[in-house]
Amino acid sequence: MTTLPAPVPEARNWRQGRTGLIGLIATEAIASIGSRMTFLAIPWLVLITTGSPVKVGLVTGAETLAYVVSGVLAAPLQDRIGARLTSIGADLLSVFAMGAIAIFARAPFGVMLTLVAIAGMLRAQADRSKNNLLLPQMEAAKTDFTRVAASREGILKSAMLVGAGLAGVTIAAFGGVGAIWFDAATFALSSAMITLLVPRNIPPKLDADGNEIVKPKPEPYFTALRNGWAGFKQDRLLRAATGMFFFTNLFNQASAVVFVPLWVLTYMPDATALGAVGAAYAVGIIIGNLLFAWLAPVLPRYPVLVAGYFIGGAPRFLVLALTDNLTVIVAVTLVSGIAMCSVNPTIGAMIFQRVPKEMLARVGGIITAVAYGGIPLGGILGGVLVSQLGLVNGILAGTALYFIVTLAPVAGYRTWRELNDVHSKKPTADGLTALPQLYAVGGAAAGPRLTLHYSKGVWTMRARHGLRVLVRRQRVQPKIAVNALTQINVEPVQEALREALGHDQVLAQRQYRRVRTAADRAEAALAEITIALERR
């Protein structure tokens, strides 16, 4: 009887990491469906119970403010408790919070405002902790961070589309309270999935001697907050990316709540065009993320990010001012969504790889708070531009401002090019699963490259890392180039080397014949001179 060998720990860790990663992203998708339903259901519930648009705005603002502030202030507590326990606990408490909102839907408005703020605070902890759980799962699965971020972005965008559709159906069938109960159920399911699918024990880090690295003692609360802020401030690229997100969110919100609705109101007979524009952008993002998840190991991050902003940024605004054709608007918006697919995964992967794991909750909370800060201001900015300049001129002004913002990665090239310096380790499996095909291509296209070039008997070399030139083209002694190439036992290389050496031999023979002919002529001339001298 043959006994099969037990799987090695690395293979087991790889399988656990992969299972945990898939389960975590699936959990986030379910939570996104419920959150999108609540995003529409709570304002609807407040509107039909109070009839006041102002109170709708207050409820939305209270949830957003609690979400942003708690993401920063509660981050040190999350570091103490752990991301997994925080996610499970926040989801469970959210079940009770959403249930209380549904039960006290017709209570005094102050009660509703308080409950919604509590729900926003808990949702921030659930979202941030799930985001922080990604890093250990990706490290255990040994996968490419950008590829995971792109796949996750596409899945979550799809979940949000599903959630918006389900919200409409649920609200129509069961009212706003029914949609809120549905969201409570998604939180309960999310808590159960994290408990069952995301492994509790991630393999500990070991030092050079193989001993487990002991985790440092937790810092005092205010010290942890201060160190988180210091960690954010000292990274120029993190600061630049966060500031970029603040302004792009600002203008994206201006377009979503002011420019596009006013364009539809002005040029279209009904509001279905509003849904078509929004759906086109979301579908573009989803399609783009599917492509980017496949190509992520091949593409250098910096130029892809810049191209995404240039193609998917300002043109999406500009087309609103140049045409009243809905088909053109939808087509440009779809292409813009595809182009912009690289932005969030690229920045997300950069954050995972540059921020120390123990600082991820605190620094991530600061990044989210600053980036979200532009959203409430976007509607105000859009309204001011349109009211002062008119719809077309207001959109043109917004387009110009957005384009100036997207020039930041170009103007700050020395900082932003560091995106290309951050690479995840090449994934390794347990020998049973093949690696993604494009990893080898990605290493050749975007990694370090040393190029030997032969032309007309001259050998030259240059070195690059992605788009960065390390060594400009310079001549190399033929002996050094040939000795280097003979070490590469690959038939196409050896064949090319033989052709080059054959060409060198032909050139040498030609040079020899030219020198020999010149020498014969010189010898004949010398003989004639000698004869002439002898005759004298």
Side-chain angles (χ1 to χ4, degrees), residues 78-266:
Q78 186 182 134
D79 288 337
R80 287 174 176 267
I81 300 171
R84 185 175 180 273
L85 287 179
T86 301
S87 176
I88 295 170
D91 283 338
L92 284 176
L93 291 175
S94 294
V95 174
F96 295 101
M98 299 313 297
I101 292 174
I103 293 171
F104 297 102
R106 298 188 179 276
F109 180 69
V111 175
M112 173 64 74
L113 203 63
T114 303
L115 291 174
V116 168
I118 293 172
M121 178 188 68
L122 293 172
R123 186 167 67 88
Q125 298 314 304
D127 290 350
R128 293 303 311 157
S129 58
K130 290 181 180 65
N131 185 75
N132 296 340
L133 276 171
L134 280 170
L135 181 58
Q137 308 308 317
M138 288 189 292
E139 288 179 340
K142 301 184 185 300
T143 188
D144 183 87
F145 288 6
T146 310
R147 169 171 284 185
V148 172
S151 303
R152 172 176 174 260
E153 183 80 6
I155 292 171
L156 296 186
K157 290 292 183 183
S158 302
M160 291 173 67
L161 282 179
V162 172
L166 277 177
V169 173
T170 308
I171 291 172
F174 306 105
V177 172
I180 292 171
W181 279 117
F182 189 95
D183 188 21
T186 63
F187 277 118
L189 181 58
S190 297
S191 180
M193 290 179 67
I194 293 293
T195 303
L196 297 175
L197 298 179
V198 178
R200 177 181 303 174
N201 297 318
I202 298 297
K205 284 190 173 183
L206 305 178
D207 58 20
D209 299 326
N211 300 317
E212 181 178 344
I213 298 176
V214 180
K215 292 181 64 176
K217 184 179 179 180
E219 299 171 312
Y221 176 80
F222 289 105
T223 302
L225 273 183
R226 186 168 56 252
N227 290 341
W229 176 250
F232 171 75
K233 283 200 308 179
Q234 70 184 9
D235 194 310
R236 293 182 305 167
L237 183 56
L238 277 182
R239 297 199 313 269
T242 304
M244 185 86 166
F245 273 168
F246 173 87
F247 286 106
T248 54
N249 283 341
L250 179 121
F251 290 109
N252 286 336
Q253 184 73 358
S255 175
V257 303
V258 178
F259 296 160
V260 174
L262 284 178
W263 184 91
V264 171
L265 183 65
T266 303

Side-chain angles (χ1 to χ4, degrees), residues 197-528:
L197 298 179
V198 178
R200 177 181 303 174
N201 297 318
I202 298 297
K205 284 190 173 183
L206 305 178
D207 58 20
D209 299 326
N211 300 317
E212 181 178 344
I213 298 176
V214 180
K215 292 181 64 176
K217 184 179 179 180
E219 299 171 312
Y221 176 80
F222 289 105
T223 302
L225 273 183
R226 186 168 56 252
N227 290 341
W229 176 250
F232 171 75
K233 283 200 308 179
Q234 70 184 9
D235 194 310
R236 293 182 305 167
L237 183 56
L238 277 182
R239 297 199 313 269
T242 304
M244 185 86 166
F245 273 168
F246 173 87
F247 286 106
T248 54
N249 283 341
L250 179 121
F251 290 109
N252 286 336
Q253 184 73 358
S255 175
V257 303
V258 178
F259 296 160
V260 174
L262 284 178
W263 184 91
V264 171
L265 183 65
T266 303
Y267 296 109
M268 294 291 108
D270 56 59
T272 55
L274 189 63
V277 175
Y281 188 71
V283 170
I285 287 283
I286 294 169
I287 295 173
N289 279 314
L290 292 175
L291 294 173
F292 189 65
W294 182 58
L295 296 172
V298 178
L299 300 175
R301 292 178 177 177
Y302 172 75
V304 170
L305 179 84
V306 173
Y309 272 126
F310 281 176
I311 298 172
R316 175 165 47 98
F317 291 71
L318 182 62
V319 71
L320 295 170
L322 299 182
T323 183
D324 60 357
N325 189 316
L326 179 61
T327 303
V328 175
I329 299 289
V330 169
V332 172
T333 304
L334 178 68
V335 173
S336 297
I338 295 174
M340 290 290 285
C341 72
S342 64
V343 173
N344 285 346
T346 298
I347 299 299
M350 179 270 292
I351 292 171
F352 280 129
Q353 292 174 288
R354 289 178 74 100
V355 178
K357 186 185 300 184
E358 63 275 8
M359 301 281 287
L360 196 56
R362 285 167 278 171
V363 175
I366 293 171
I367 293 172
T368 302
V370 176
Y372 271 51
I375 295 177
L377 300 177
I380 299 173
L381 175 65
V384 170
L385 290 176
V386 171
S387 64
Q388 296 296 319
L389 304 175
L391 178 59
V392 173
N393 290 333
I395 293 175
L396 289 175
T399 302
L401 292 172
Y402 191 97
F403 181 72
I404 292 172
V405 170
T406 57
L407 289 176
V410 179
Y413 170 72
R414 291 184 179 275
T415 297
W416 284 86
R417 73 178 182 181
E418 293 177 17
L419 285 171
N420 288 336
D421 296 337
V422 182
H423 298 285
S424 56
K425 297 178 181 179
K426 185 176 180 180
T428 55
D430 57 356
L432 303 176
T433 305
L435 294 172
Q437 295 179 353
L438 288 178
Y439 274 99
V441 180
R449 302 191 304 280
L450 178 66
T451 304
L452 279 173
H453 181 264
Y454 174 83
S455 177
K456 298 179 181 179
V458 177
W459 289 88
T460 59
M461 63 146 279
R462 64 177 179 177
R464 300 174 68 91
H465 190 291
L467 297 179
R468 183 185 301 181
V469 177
L470 301 178
V471 178
R472 297 189 180 277
R473 180 170 292 180
Q474 60 185 32
R475 295 189 64 165
V476 180
Q477 294 181 11
K479 180 180 179 180
I480 296 176
V482 171
N483 286 341
L485 291 176
T486 53
Q487 305 302 315
I488 304 176
N489 191 21
V490 177
E491 183 55 33
V493 175
Q494 296 301 316
E495 183 179 351
L497 179 59
R498 287 192 292 269
E499 290 180 3
L501 293 177
H503 187 260
D504 272 349
Q505 186 177 10
V506 172
L507 291 179
Q509 290 173 350
R510 290 177 182 175
Q511 183 68 15
Y512 171 77
R513 286 195 294 268
R514 284 196 296 267
V515 172
R516 185 63 186 173
T517 301
D520 290 342
R521 290 175 181 173
E523 187 176 350
L526 181 61
E528 290 178 0

